[in-house]
Amino acid sequence: MRKLLLLAAIGMMAHGGVTPTRAEGQTRGELMAVIEPGERGEAWLEIPWETDLTVARRKAAAAGKPVFLWEMDGHPLGCT
Amino acid sequence: MADREFVFSDPAVQRLIREKFIPLAMDDWYLRRQKDAQGKFFMEMTRESPRGDVGEGTRQGRYVFTAGGKFLGFNNNRSPERLLAMLRESLGRWEKLPATDRAVPGDLGDVVREARYERRPPEGGAVVKVYTRVLERGADGALRAVSEPERKEDDFRHRGLEAAVDHLWLTAEDLKLLVPKADAPVGVAMAVPRAIGQRVARYHLVDGTRGEPPHWSREEVKVAEFSVIPEGKGRAKLKGRVKMETADGKRGFEGELDGEMSYGGGRLERLEAVVIGEHWGESALTAGARPGRSPLGFAFRLSEGKRSADVIPPQAARWLEGYYEPDRN
C-alpha cells in the first residue's frame, strides 16, 4: 500500500505541469485534520479575548480589574 | 503566531490573565491610525510606556492599563516568565492606586470608530476560517505536518510550523452568487464569481506561516478557476485550481481545491475545503522558507462565530474596497 501511495505521488509530480496534489488515499477530512490547529494549537484561545477597546474598558470598570492588551501590527487573533 | 504558541498557551499566563485582567487583542495598524475616541485614548495611554516616543510608528506590544487610561506596564518578549513578571508588577501598581484612579471617569459612551477604520463582519454574509500549514510527505507519500525539532526551554525561535489563521469574509451578495438555487441542475459545474475567486486566490492562498505575508497582485494570479457543483438536497462540491507567481518567478503557489458545502434558505450551513499545493519563495516579513517548492496546505471551514476571535477582519481588509472587489482593484 505504501509503495502504491508513493508511486501515485511521484506519478502526479512527474505529470508535466500538473501540481502535485494530495497523496492518494488521504481524505479531505484527514487533510483538514493535518492542517487545522486542533486543541493544542488553539490553546491560546483559552483566554477569553475581547476585540474592542471600549467594550474591554467597560468590562474592566465593572469587574474592578485592569485591562491586558495584546497589540500587534496585524491582528493577534488572525493575520498569521 | 509565536506569541500564541510560546506565551499565550502557557497555563500560568492563561490563569493569571483570566483571573486578574480583562484580556483584549487588537490590530495596531488600525488603532494607531484612528483619530476617534479609541485612537486618542490609546495614544494617550501609551504615552507613558516605552512606546511613547515612536511617533506614527508601530506601538505593538503588551500593555496593562486601567479602564480610565492609566498606564501600568509593558512587555514585548516571548518568554512567559518575563510576561508573568510584568503582569505581577502591574497588579502591584494597580493595588496601590486609589479607588478613583481604578474607575472610569464618566460614561464611556457607544463604540464609535472612525468610519474608514470600522470593520464589521458582513451582515447576512459568512465568515470562513482559513488555516495554513507547511506540510511534508512521509515515507508512505502521505502529507503530514512538519515535525517540530526539539528545542531548549529558553528557545523561543519561531519556525512557522504551526497553523496560521486568517478569516475569509463573504457578503450576503457573495452568498447569493455562490449558493446554488434550488433548481440548479445536479452535477453541472457553476463557475464561482470572479470577485470571490480572486479574493480567495489573492488574499487567502498566501503563506502566512512565518509572518505577515504579501498578498498576490492581480497580475500575479495566473490561474484562479473555482466551481460549485450542485449535488442536490442542499449540498454541493467545490473544485478548483490556482497558480500565482511573481514576475521574477521567485515566489509562487500552485494548488488544487477540493471541498463541499451545504446550504439552506440561501445561507451557508457548512463549508469545508482544502487547497493542497506547492509554495516557493519568501518575502521580507516571511523569511525562512524551505528551499525550492514544498507542500503547503490550506483548510477552509465555516466559522461558528461564537467568539470574538471567530470573526476577526481579514488581514487584507485594511483596504476594504480592494478586499471585496479584488477583480477591479
Side-chain angles (χ1 to χ4, degrees), chain B residues 1 94 214 226:
Chain B
M1 195 184 342
W94 163 263
F226 300 106

Side-chain angles (χ1 to χ4, degrees), chain A residues 1-6 9 12-13 17-24 26 28-29 31-38 40-61 63-80, chain B residues 1 3-4 8-9 14 18-29 31-32 38 41-42 60-65 67 87 94 104 108-109 111 113 131 133 135 137 140-143 145 162-165 208 211-212 254 256 258-260 274 278 297 300-301 308-309 312 315 318:
Chain A
M1 182 62 180
R2 284 188 172 188
K3 276 185 180 175
L4 277 176
L5 288 171
L6 190 55
M12 282 187 283
M13 282 186 270
V18 176
T19 304
T21 54
R22 73 179 62 165
E24 292 296 328
Q26 277 179 288
R28 185 189 316 121
L31 290 166
M32 290 192 72
V34 166
I35 298 166
E36 290 181 310
R40 191 187 68 82
E42 285 196 330
W44 51 281
L45 285 172
E46 293 295 312
I47 296 171
W49 300 102
E50 296 292 337
T51 54
D52 182 89
L53 178 57
T54 308
V55 171
R57 290 177 63 201
R58 196 173 282 136
K59 284 193 172 183
K65 294 178 178 181
V67 176
F68 171 74
L69 168 63
W70 177 18
E71 174 98 348
M72 296 289 287
D73 216 341
H75 204 292
L77 310 185
C79 176
T80 63
Chain B
M1 195 184 342
D3 282 356
R4 296 180 203 145
F8 297 109
S9 294
Q14 292 182 345
R18 275 200 307 261
E19 289 177 2
K20 300 292 186 182
F21 299 87
I22 298 299
L24 169 67
M26 295 195 73
D27 186 342
D28 185 64
W29 189 92
L31 200 48
R32 73 171 187 261
Q38 289 196 346
F41 174 91
F42 175 67
Q60 66 182 355
R62 298 74 166 267
Y63 299 84
V64 175
F65 56 92
L87 292 173
W94 163 263
V104 180
L108 289 180
V111 177
R113 267 180 292 273
Y131 297 103
R133 191 190 287 272
L135 305 173
R137 289 192 187 278
D140 59 357
L143 290 166
E162 296 292 325
V165 61
E212 187 178 343
E254 191 171 10
E256 294 186 354
D258 173 55
E260 63 181 353
V274 293
E278 291 194 336
F300 293 71
R301 185 184 292 279
S308 301
I312 299 299
Q315 177 67 7
R318 287 173 174 179

